[in-house]
Amino acid sequence: MFESLLVANRGEIARRVIRTAARLGVRTIAVYSEADAQLPFVREADEAVLLGPAAPAQSYLNVEAILSAARRAGAQAIHPGYGFLAESAAFAAAVGDAGLTWVGPSPDAIEAMGDKVNARNLMAKAGVPVAAGTESPVEDVEEAVRAAAAIGYPIMVKAAAGGGGIGMGLARDEAELRTAYETAKARAERFFSSPGILLERYIENARHVEVQVLGLADGRVVALGERDCSVQRRHQKIVEETPSPGVSRELRESMLAGAIAAAEAVGYRNAGTVECLVDPKSQEYVFLEMNTRLQVEHPITELVTGVDLVEEQLRIAAGLPPAADMDNLLPKGHAIELRVYAEDPVRFLPRPGKITTWSEPAGDGIRVDAGYEAGSVVTPYYDPLLAKLCVYGADRDAAIERARAAVKEFVIGGPTTNLLFFDRLLTHPSFVSGAYDTGIVADVRADD
């Protein structure tokens, strides 16, 4: 195991990585922007280095500043967390070129799965189911219209090099397609510097289900179960649970095998997630994308498996065998994650501000991964995720009951949060029954 680790991220994920590294005796180095100087992760690291001003381009996206901090602090490895540079093949390569260990998959694997069109084609070749769609980026709206006519409506329009739901749009006819195409292209150019657009057949009433994989140092790929991520606003997840209540045993086995095949197709090492769309009626799935990093929702997999995924990431990067017995893993119980944001619970718009009160729920089966505390300031510069409230129960009913109680016990004063939305969601008939899909947020708001 290397002796020192720089965490190239902020907030709760930086604290999360620092916690495991410290337990393993690895010296930790935090990097931070001027806006984050007083956040907990900065003081919890063994050393902290200022990157620059609040703007991400001058701090958390500044490759040279991060590498310079690593050199000054004597870091031997870099963990990128999620977001920012976590899925940048260029950054991963730069870390290696600097003589440091990259805690993640190879630059080639990141690049191969980063382009959605290329990833679709790779998966189809590997025998993983994919939705009907374009095999190359569409170059203009007229080409998009012709392609959509061949695929069949409804159509999902998305940035070929994108992620996080940015620029995605649904089109049920040509008029909607023209509008969705122009919107997606503009956002693709703005956020990803790539105007390429992918079209895929839209699956009605789909569930969004993903599989956690680990590419081990010895070359094996293992799957650690699936997570249901269907509770979304603006195509972005806000609640996840494992196991998925909408997946049969047969489908689960098929998805796990498909995820392993997907990772093996690109020689994958380290933690990754294969995301899929599931048709609840037919119990069939199609590949959506692969996230070549640690997922925000990884804690619920840890709760049902007992595996510390960050520790396994570090061990894989160091060329060591896994700490857990990967051949005999059997997830037990049920876990739910609620992403607590500084945002209003109706329109889900950011609500930054100073946190005056912070009181977390605690007890058996409750885990809170937080990036803030009382006195912290939520700034407008970054994603307003405050904490991940995770609960575990012997079964789904027990987990939901524990989640309801935990939401009521979580007190955050100052910025408005989405805790009130979770209070409604956890009693909504569709969620309680488990028979929900990616439209459930709209259903909860409509019933409010």
Side-chain angles (χ1 to χ4, degrees), residues 10 28 64 128 157 171 211 257 284 296 348 351 376 394 422 429 433 446:
R10 62 180 297 279
T28 56
E64 186 48 49
V128 180
V157 183
V211 177
E284 296 178 338
V296 177
F348 304 112
R351 290 289 184 265
S376 297
F422 295 138
S433 69

Side-chain angles (χ1 to χ4, degrees), residues 151-228:
I151 297 168
Y153 290 96
I155 291 286
M156 182 59 76
V157 183
K158 59 179 74 174
I166 297 173
M168 288 178 61
L170 173 63
R172 295 186 179 279
D173 55 36
E174 181 178 328
E176 290 186 353
L177 174 66
R178 290 180 179 275
T179 300
Y181 177 87
E182 296 301 340
T183 298
K185 183 176 181 180
R187 291 181 178 174
E189 291 176 331
R190 176 185 174 189
F191 289 98
F192 310 116
S193 301
S194 175
I197 298 298
L198 164 67
L199 304 184
E200 282 185 337
R201 181 68 185 270
Y202 177 72
I203 299 175
E204 299 278 6
N205 306 121
R207 299 189 78 123
H208 187 155
V209 182
E210 63 187 23
V211 177
Q212 175 71 59
V213 297
L214 281 175
L216 304 178
D218 63 10
R220 291 181 297 151
V221 176
V222 296
L224 282 71
E226 89 285 358
R227 299 182 289 251
D228 199 308

Side-chain angles (χ1 to χ4, degrees), residues 72 114 118 157 218 266 297 356 384-386 430 442:
R72 294 199 314 256
N118 182 62
V157 183
D218 63 10
V266 291
E297 56 271 24
T356 57
L385 177 66
L386 300 177
S430 294

Side-chain angles (χ1 to χ4, degrees), residues 21 31 34 55 73 166 206 210 233 258 265 272 307 330 338 355 379 387 395 437:
V31 289
E34 292 173 353
I166 297 173
E210 63 187 23
R233 47 100 168 104
V307 174
L330 183 63
L338 309 171
I355 298 172
T379 70
D395 54 31
D437 56 44

Side-chain angles (χ1 to χ4, degrees), residues 9-41:
N9 218 294
R10 62 180 297 279
E12 66 84 15
I13 190 58
R15 294 183 85 185
R16 165 71 190 91
V17 174
I18 288 168
R19 183 170 66 246
T20 286
R23 178 174 61 79
L24 297 176
V26 176
R27 183 170 68 90
T28 56
I29 300 124
V31 289
Y32 64 97
S33 72
E34 292 173 353
D36 285 344
Q38 302 305 315
L39 290 189
F41 80 95

